[in-house]
Amino acid sequence: RLLTLDDPLGPLLLQSPATVSSSAQPYPGAKRQRCCCSAFCGAMKREPPQPPSDGGEHPSGRPQEEAPAPAEDAPPKSPLWVFGYGSLVWRPDFEFTSRKVGYIRGYSRRFWQGDTFHRGSEKMPGRVVTLLEDYDGCTWGVAYELCGDQIAASLKYLNMREAVLGGYDTKLVKFHPHDKEGGEPILALVYIATPQNPSYLGPASEEDIAAQIIVSSGRSGHNIEYLLRLADFMRYCCPHVEDEHLFSIEEALISVLPCLYHGEESLVEE
């Protein structure tokens, strides 16, 4: 089942549940589900997402060729696109000119990066997403267009948020917009946490990841909120995509929450 405001963690959600409606034809095997913050996601992309213009199956392919990230002393070109696949999809916190929902090929999203600042602490690190090179992988998210003065200010902010505090490195990847116009792929900057960074946690079972998320909280909020908002983005803005890793962790977390909630109630009664 999906989390609603009637659940113990309902207060984490800012909007009431709403049924997702879309004129787009879902991909084979796709399931239409309810979104816990559809009003929020709707503000991000007012029209329900449509299938990619190529009309094919779920996009996949061999890992794309990456261009080296710009040198720190090199002036960034305008416009600059930044691709987000974690908290950036709902909370960019920087000025941008436009944004597009879409995907990059050759990577899969995984909750394998530790977080001791935004969604965890030194004693209890949270779990946030990074990208894993994957031959048939495809990761959906949001690309933001930065122009003029927005570029320097946004990169300064993102360097602190993602690199200094998060342990992420930058790469340039090809972003494929998922809109009515289609169009050519766009070169975009993306932040990726590699196994070489000290906060990297690596693989674990969905149940273990969910258990770690439940007990973790940081400066930006509870780790549970991070997971649920990302799941809601995928469910509402990319309803044709089945992110098995993400939704399996969400399911594992929700299955445990009633047990924790009733346990707290019994302690209060005693």
Side-chain angles (χ1 to χ4, degrees):
R1 66 182 180 87
L2 300 177
L3 192 63
T4 68
L5 290 177
D6 295 328
D7 290 300
L9 289 178
L12 283 175
L13 306 176
L14 301 180
Q15 305 292 342
S16 60
T19 302
V20 176
S21 62
S22 173
S23 58
Q25 293 299 318
Y27 284 87
K31 297 179 180 179
R32 296 193 182 277
Q33 304 184 53
R34 294 172 66 87
C35 172
C36 298
C37 60
S38 59
F40 174 84
C41 292
M44 296 177 55
K45 186 172 178 63
R46 296 183 180 181
E47 294 184 1
Q50 302 290 327
S53 57
D54 57 18
E57 294 294 324
H58 181 83
S60 61
R62 61 177 66 242
Q64 58 199 9
E65 294 182 2
E66 298 163 0
E72 292 184 1
D73 56 350
K77 296 181 179 180
S78 182
L80 174 70
W81 289 82
V82 176
F83 176 70
Y85 56 92
S87 61
L88 287 180
V89 304
W90 75 81
R91 189 175 67 85
D93 281 354
F94 55 81
E95 292 187 5
F96 55 88
T97 300
S98 66
R99 56 188 162 189
K100 295 176 179 288
V101 172
Y103 59 89
I104 62 173
R105 289 183 171 131
Y107 290 95
S108 291
R109 176 170 34 216
R110 292 290 182 268
F111 275 82
W112 289 3
Q113 173 69 357
D115 188 339
T116 60
F117 184 85
H118 297 291
R119 300 290 174 172
S121 63
E122 293 290 344
K123 293 183 178 180
M124 289 187 174
R127 283 262 183 176
V128 292
V129 292
T130 184
L131 295 179
L132 172 71
E133 288 192 12
D134 182 359
Y135 182 88
D136 293 321
C138 178
T139 297
W140 287 75
V142 177
Y144 297 90
E145 181 187 18
L146 310 178
C147 298
D149 294 338
Q150 295 174 344
I151 297 177
S154 297
L155 289 181
K156 181 179 179 180
Y157 167 75
L158 287 169
N159 180 64
M160 176 59 66
R161 171 174 166 174
E162 304 295 335
V164 176
L165 298 177
Y168 289 73
D169 295 327
T170 55
K171 290 184 179 180
L172 287 174
V173 295
K174 290 182 180 179
F175 169 76
H176 300 262
H178 183 55
D179 52 28
K180 294 179 180 178
E181 291 77 18
E184 295 296 321
I186 300 170
L187 201 61
L189 188 72
V190 66
Y191 289 82
I192 300 176
T194 66
Q196 286 70 43
N197 84 84
S199 297
Y200 190 80
L201 297 177
S205 69
E206 283 79 5
E207 292 76 16
D208 288 343
I209 292 175
Q212 186 170 352
I213 288 174
I214 286 175
V215 298
S216 300
S217 182
R219 303 283 185 90
S220 297
H222 204 288
N223 207 176
I224 294 175
E225 179 191 26
Y226 179 98
L227 169 65
L228 296 182
R229 284 194 179 276
L230 184 55
D232 279 341
F233 162 78
M234 288 297 299
R235 185 172 292 113
Y236 184 79
C237 296
C238 314
H240 50 279
V241 181
E242 181 65 25
D243 192 323
E244 183 177 354
H245 177 75
L246 171 62
F247 292 142
S248 294
I249 296 172
E250 181 195 34
E251 182 179 355
L253 180 143
I254 292 175
S255 68
V256 174
L257 288 179
C259 300
L260 297 177
Y261 181 65
H262 293 311
E264 290 178 358
E265 279 189 337
S266 62
L267 290 176
V268 172
E269 292 174 357
E270 293 176 0

